[in-house]
Amino acid sequence: MAVTIKTSEEIILMREAGRLAAEVLEMIGPHVQVGVSTAELDRICHDHIVNVQNAIPAPLNYNGFPKSICTSVNHVICHGIPSETKTLKEGDIINIDITVIKNGFHGDTSKMFLLGDVPSHVDRLVKTTQEALYLAIDMVKPGVRLGDIGHAIQKYAENRHYSVVREYCGHGIGRIFHEEPQVLHYGRPNTGVELQAGMTFTIEPMINAGSRYTRLSKKDGWTVTTKDRRLSAQWEHTLAVLDDGCEVLTKRNEESF
Ligand code: MF3
Ligand code: CO
Ligand code: CO
């Protein structure tokens, strides 16, 4: 399957799915507190998506994923499975990744939450990762190539002595959760797919405090952690390429693009 170009009607539906995904992150914020279990966060999001939004939580049963959201705490890079026994404590950082399906279209977004006071080096990792996403978003317009974007993210992270995860990447999105193109968060300028108006894809950099190497849990087949067990951060948005730039389909109210 090649990269799909969405019609303006399809972009309208993507906009609605993106808005709902963003709204779940806004809704869950006040619940992210010391002592709450990640399973409880999953239940609250699931019920909101199903009962309030009349939408579908895309992760549930996706390739066998057992829950409705991903909750990735501290050295977990991505695809953390919500659990009754994983309760948040002071100083933790957590990525909550939400994907909803509405009228057949997907919206995919994630953000980091900090529990209470975190050391300044932790805050710096989280902020740098968000800034890397934002500078990538700023580049998105027709004619730019995905290698240009990956390179910019990599340079930004590595200049600050962090590393970029390579095994997982952003992706085209639409009626299908993960479609072409792959959106790598590293790369070389002037390489890769050239952006065109009507493309919709995610950018979701995963940036590690230590080395870039990852480990996939043999126990659950999903949880991805840093090999060195140092911290990792991730932020994600779903974007639509417009004639003169891009639209952040999963923008939250706290953000101004
Ligand atoms: N939302 C993730 C992404 O950004 C994918 C989660 S797949 C799951 O692409 F199965 F783990 F839910
Ligand atoms: Co994604
Ligand atoms: Co996601």
Side-chain angles (χ1 to χ4, degrees), residues 17 20 49 54-59 99-107 174-175:
L20 294 181
I49 293 166
N54 290 114
I56 299 166
T99 311
V100 306
I101 311 172
K102 182 74 176 183
N103 297 319
F105 285 85
H106 291 74
R175 287 192 178 277

Side-chain angles (χ1 to χ4, degrees), residues 58-60 62-65 67 69-70 79 97-99 108-110 169 171 177-178 202 204 222 234 236:
L60 187 59
Y62 178 79
N63 293 151
F65 191 80
K67 295 285 183 181
I69 66 173
C70 295
H79 304 167
D97 193 338
I98 304 291
T99 311
D108 186 8
T109 185
S110 78
C169 59
H171 49 91
F177 193 166
H178 296 106
T202 73
E204 48 183 296
W222 282 103
Q234 179 177 32
E236 174 176 27

